[in-house]
Amino acid sequence: MATLLPNVQQTSAGAAPPEHAWLQLVQAQVESALAQLFELPDEQGLDARWTQAAAQARAYALRPAKRLRPALVLAGHGLARGSTSVPQGLWRFAAGLELLHTFLLIHDDVADQAELRRGGPVLHRMLAPGRPGEDLAVVMGDHLFARSLEAMLESGLPGASRVARYYLGVCRHTAAGQYLDLDLARVPLAEVTLFQTLRVAHLKTARYGFCAPLVCGAMLGGADEALQQGLERVGRSVGLAYQLRDDLIGLFGDAAVAGKASDGDFMQAKRTFPVVAAYVRATPEGREELERLWALPVECKDDAALARARELVEHFGGRAACERAVERASRAARRSLQTLPNPHGLRDLLDALITRLSRRAS
């Protein structure tokens, strides 16, 4: 057994906030478990080129990251068990879930033609230049998907196969959200509604990134239906706040802080909440200019076009509307959280984490 957060409710003067210490502990344990998932004796000697590619994928997966999903798995488990003790198999399950997230990021980066992820080059740029690198990254992503399922199923935890099936069902909805996110980029802004942007945020991020990890952990801890539903409500709201904050970072963020391009959503013509919120509030002339800017070919989206796009979204209230939506969703998450138990201060820790995420810059 390993112990998570032995003194959650006791923070000495001058110490780091408990949620920060919690994430640091989770990061260290999960990254150790992640590294173990890349130890595959049956693949040794397959081919030197595959060995090299696998080493690059390992380096990509182990870059410093938040590891939020594993942290939420452990929080859900702790709330269900009323304990901060973590079965060894839970670290492996959480690492498998994080590896599945890595697989999704690799495919997402290919689809978005991204260049940066977590402060370094995306995997398809690491593997080879141009289209060959993209093809190779898709294949490596498929490999990590299979490995992630192996890890979850071989965790040895009671009910692991049932929980993995639940998570995979959620991932099907994630695919639908990613499809809509990409497909709506071809639709005129006039035909996109704020409701559609919220649906994409719920499907693409909130369910798989927040609801499901909390519920998976709770299921593995033997939670009853009421606790699972309560965690689902928390995850839905905090996941929405997270994605809407990501929409702001994707247009107004600092690449040096975020670890990824701050113009990516504009370059890929994403119909995100702040853009559509600005469009519905804009004058007829403003709407025409927003349509024209978002319809520009990628090669014409220079610094001047980006600056003008940011200016219009700010001027017509899209940025402020998105900030308000983040705040509303965060408040809703915290209200839902107050209905849950608080063993060893775990609920308080999640409350602090929600506040931290709503104000993040990366």
Side-chain angles (χ1 to χ4, degrees):
M1 300 285 283
T3 301
L4 174 69
L5 299 174
N7 292 297
V8 176
Q9 291 173 308
Q10 299 175 11
T11 304
S12 59
E19 74 277 8
H20 181 70
W22 181 47
L23 285 175
Q24 284 187 320
L25 174 59
V26 171
Q27 288 160 3
Q29 294 280 356
V30 168
E31 285 163 12
S32 174
L34 263 178
Q36 292 175 19
L37 296 186
F38 283 90
E39 296 173 6
L40 297 167
D42 64 312
E43 293 187 11
Q44 291 178 4
L46 289 180
D47 189 273
R49 299 180 73 85
W50 175 254
T51 300
Q52 181 182 11
Q56 290 174 303
R58 181 184 186 277
Y60 173 90
L62 291 175
R63 282 179 192 162
K66 299 181 192 72
R67 312 299 181 195
L68 285 176
R69 290 151 194 84
L72 295 175
V73 170
L74 271 79
H77 185 271
L79 286 168
R81 301 290 296 174
S83 168
T84 58
S85 293
V86 183
Q88 194 59 39
L90 192 60
W91 290 116
R92 191 168 187 84
F93 188 96
L97 191 144
E98 180 71 3
L99 195 62
L100 194 148
H101 173 58
T102 304
F103 142 72
L104 288 171
L105 291 182
I106 291 168
H107 282 200
D108 192 50
D109 287 342
V110 171
D112 288 346
Q113 295 290 290
E115 297 291 335
L116 286 174
R117 175 68 69 177
R118 294 172 175 168
V122 292
L123 185 64
H124 60 269
R125 293 288 180 256
M126 295 170 67
L127 295 175
R131 177 61 186 272
E134 296 170 5
D135 294 342
L136 293 170
V138 168
V139 173
M140 183 57 73
D142 293 341
H143 176 270
L144 298 187
F145 174 72
R147 185 66 186 120
S148 71
L149 292 184
E150 284 183 326
M152 288 188 278
L153 293 173
E154 67 193 19
S155 64
L157 297 170
S161 60
R162 179 174 64 93
V163 178
R165 282 198 304 273
Y166 160 77
Y167 194 69
L168 290 174
V170 171
C171 287
R172 286 190 286 103
H173 290 196
T174 305
Q178 175 71 351
Y179 181 93
L180 292 172
D181 188 38
L182 295 169
D183 194 42
L184 286 173
R186 305 183 300 140
V187 177
L189 283 170
E191 297 178 19
V192 181
T193 67
L194 283 171
F195 177 78
Q196 285 175 306
T197 69
L198 293 174
R199 177 188 289 155
V200 168
H202 176 66
L203 292 173
K204 180 181 172 182
T205 301
R207 285 208 70 208
Y208 114 89
F210 293 86
C211 300
L214 283 166
V215 173
C216 282
M219 291 172 71
L220 291 168
D224 60 20
E225 192 65 27
L227 179 57
Q228 291 180 43
Q229 290 178 359
L231 289 169
E232 174 84 21
R233 286 191 295 272
V234 172
R236 185 164 54 242
S237 294
V238 71
L240 176 60
Y242 187 94
Q243 181 56 52
L244 293 178
R245 175 61 64 195
D246 211 55
D247 290 347
L248 289 168
I249 293 170
L251 185 59
F252 296 100
D254 182 342
V257 175
K260 59 183 179 179
S262 59
D263 61 355
D265 286 354
F266 177 61
M267 298 302 287
Q268 295 301 313
K270 295 291 183 73
R271 272 60 173 157
T272 58
F273 186 96
V275 176
V276 177
Y279 184 86
V280 299
R281 290 166 169 79
T283 62
E285 296 78 13
R287 291 184 178 187
E288 184 178 343
E289 189 172 4
L290 283 166
E291 287 277 22
R292 182 184 62 78
L293 284 167
W294 256 257
L296 286 172
V298 172
E299 60 270 17
C300 296
K301 289 182 173 177
D302 55 16
D303 289 345
L306 175 62
R308 182 58 178 161
R310 288 170 169 166
E311 182 182 0
L312 288 172
V313 173
E314 180 102 45
H315 176 73
F316 289 116
R319 184 175 189 174
C322 196
E323 290 282 6
R324 291 193 297 272
V326 169
E327 184 59 31
R328 284 196 301 272
S330 297
R331 285 200 305 268
R334 296 180 72 188
R335 281 197 302 272
S336 296
L337 192 60
Q338 293 310 307
T339 67
L340 303 183
N342 191 28
H344 302 279
L346 280 171
R347 187 188 68 198
D348 294 339
L349 188 148
L350 278 175
D351 185 73
L353 183 62
I354 290 169
T355 300
R356 181 188 183 96
L357 291 176
S358 71
R359 297 170 182 167
R360 69 192 176 94
S362 65

